[in-house]
Amino acid sequence: ADALHAYEEAFVAGDGVFDNAALSSILFGLWTAQLMAMDLGKARGTVQEMLQRAQGSGDADLVAEAHVAMANTLFWLGDSAEALACLSRGGLVPVGDQERCRTQGFDLVGLALNFEGLAAFQVGDFERAEMARKRLMVRVEQTADHPFNQAIALQGAAWLSCLFEYMDALGPLAFELETLSARHGFVFYRGVGQIFRGAHLLHQGAVDDAETAIRDGFEVHMLRNGGKLFYSFYAWKLGETLLQAGHAADCDRLMSQAMDVCLDQQDRAYLGELLDVQGRARQAMGDLQGAEESLRSATSTALALGAVPARIRATTHLAQLLVQSGRGRAAFDVLDKMLKSVDKKAG
């Protein structure tokens, strides 16, 4: 709140006094504070203003930076297709061998690769997402002398490895991100690393340790320091942990709370995943009608958002539920409809 107020005052004081380049830097700070607070509506307005100021400055790096900020915001708003288009408009994809790090002192290319990979994964362009993941693995080595930039690359590489379920890669990446961030005081990235470590522990069957890592990552290192960014991903992974631990009722309650928070914040990045986990929790509780409602809601939400992985996941779980309740034909129909849609999109 203090940072938000300070940046707002600085912008008001500087408007009409400083040039567009200086104002863009102030706006970037304001946008960062709004994003961390998950005030996505205001963040989008700020980044639109930032983009206009950057274009007025004629500085290509400022323009690129504004486009990365917009892509970041659009991803969390659930519009990954537009996030990819925004990166293209900013001249940031394909990344090639660009080096852009001047304006705010961080690795713009690394951040662009993060959101190119994440958005590509969401729209079902898995080949492009995998290419971005591999580029980020290389980026981790390239940024070894710049700890903050290396944290950006580690985050993207770990995040995509987690989404692809490359657990052999995820474990070391999560450990390296957490260790690097603890050493250099990168509180947010330390929390991100802990959440990824928790996902890896869950895969290994260490459910209690996974829950502790995921909770501490968000609640201790993010929320306690004023950061709400990453909430939907945290809730998704914590829900999966509770479900695997046999705490289906707790998982169901968490998913209901998480969806309320996400809808309030306009955080739609992983809304389909939350609904899918809720459906599975209700099925585990024996509430088959509630499970079917949640899973159908997950498929329709994922379809509306263009979130292909969530749609595949929820449709598969819905089909399994339908088969178990003796509705094999209905299961075939929902799978057939989904697969034809995904094939058409891929083609």
Side-chain angles (χ1 to χ4, degrees):
D2 290 342
L4 275 170
H5 186 62
Y7 280 118
E8 286 168 353
E9 285 192 337
F11 179 72
V12 170
D15 195 12
V17 178
F18 299 125
D19 61 17
N20 283 327
L23 288 172
S24 291
S25 293
I26 295 171
L27 285 167
F28 187 90
L30 177 59
W31 166 77
T32 301
Q34 290 167 337
L35 184 74
M36 293 301 292
M38 284 307 274
D39 193 343
L40 294 175
K42 285 186 178 179
R44 185 170 189 169
T46 298
V47 80
Q48 286 172 335
E49 176 75 14
M50 190 197 315
L51 187 55
Q52 291 175 358
R53 299 279 181 169
Q55 288 169 335
S57 74
D59 188 318
D61 284 337
L62 283 174
V63 172
E65 180 182 275
H67 278 95
V68 171
M70 179 63 86
N72 189 330
T73 308
L74 289 167
F75 170 80
W76 289 109
L77 285 166
D79 196 347
S80 286
E82 184 57 28
L84 288 171
C86 185
L87 288 170
S88 294
R89 287 194 296 270
L92 282 151
V93 293
V95 168
D97 295 316
Q98 299 181 50
E99 289 295 334
R100 285 181 170 176
C101 190
R102 184 177 65 78
T103 52
Q104 301 298 333
F106 65 86
D107 183 12
L108 202 59
V109 169
L111 198 58
L113 274 170
N114 268 250
F115 287 96
E116 180 185 4
L118 293 168
F121 188 89
Q122 288 294 80
V123 302
D125 191 344
F126 300 121
E127 185 177 350
R128 183 174 179 180
E130 172 64 1
M131 192 177 302
R133 189 191 72 86
K134 289 178 177 177
R135 293 291 305 277
L136 283 161
M137 294 291 288
V138 172
R139 203 80 183 168
V140 169
E141 303 302 322
Q142 292 174 335
T143 54
D145 293 334
H146 303 278
F148 189 75
N149 291 341
Q150 189 174 44
I152 292 173
L154 282 166
Q155 173 190 254
W159 199 339
L160 286 163
S161 295
C162 185
L163 293 173
F164 276 115
E165 299 182 7
Y166 295 157
M167 292 299 161
D168 288 345
L170 177 61
L173 288 167
F175 175 78
E176 192 173 351
L177 176 57
E178 189 178 353
T179 304
L180 174 79
S181 300
R183 186 163 61 244
H184 293 281
F186 305 150
V187 178
F188 173 79
Y189 286 111
R190 183 177 180 181
V192 172
Q194 273 197 242
I195 292 172
F196 289 139
R197 178 163 61 84
H200 183 253
L201 287 166
L202 181 63
H203 177 75
Q204 293 181 317
V207 180
D208 291 343
D209 290 341
E211 182 181 347
T212 299
I214 292 169
R215 285 190 186 277
D216 285 357
F218 186 77
E219 295 170 11
V220 175
H221 296 296
M222 296 181 183
L223 197 59
R224 191 176 293 177
N225 290 283
K228 299 176 183 177
L229 187 64
F230 226 71
Y231 175 79
S232 58
F233 187 88
Y234 147 79
W236 170 28
K237 291 303 170 185
L238 181 58
E240 288 193 329
T241 304
L242 292 172
L243 190 57
Q244 192 163 318
H247 304 312
D250 291 340
C251 176
D252 182 31
R253 281 192 294 272
L254 174 65
M255 293 303 97
S256 292
Q257 294 166 4
M259 282 183 281
D260 287 343
V261 170
C262 289
L263 289 170
D264 181 59
Q265 295 175 342
Q266 301 181 57
D267 176 2
R268 295 183 284 267
Y270 294 107
L271 201 54
E273 284 81 358
L274 297 177
L275 284 161
D276 171 67
V277 171
Q278 182 175 60
R280 290 155 55 205
R282 290 179 173 177
Q283 184 176 1
M285 293 163 63
D287 179 8
L288 300 186
Q289 183 179 345
E292 184 174 338
E293 288 174 359
S294 290
L295 290 170
R296 288 191 183 278
S297 183
T299 60
S300 59
T301 297
L303 178 61
L305 293 172
V308 174
R311 190 178 178 205
I312 293 171
R313 186 179 291 109
T315 303
T316 302
H317 292 142
L318 175 60
Q320 290 169 343
L321 178 65
L322 292 170
V323 167
Q324 290 167 17
S325 60
R327 290 175 285 170
R329 180 66 199 182
F332 174 84
D333 289 342
V334 297
L335 283 172
D336 186 56
K337 182 179 178 182
M338 182 270 291
L339 288 169
K340 284 179 178 176
S341 173
V342 171
D343 284 347
K344 185 177 179 182
K345 190 168 185 144

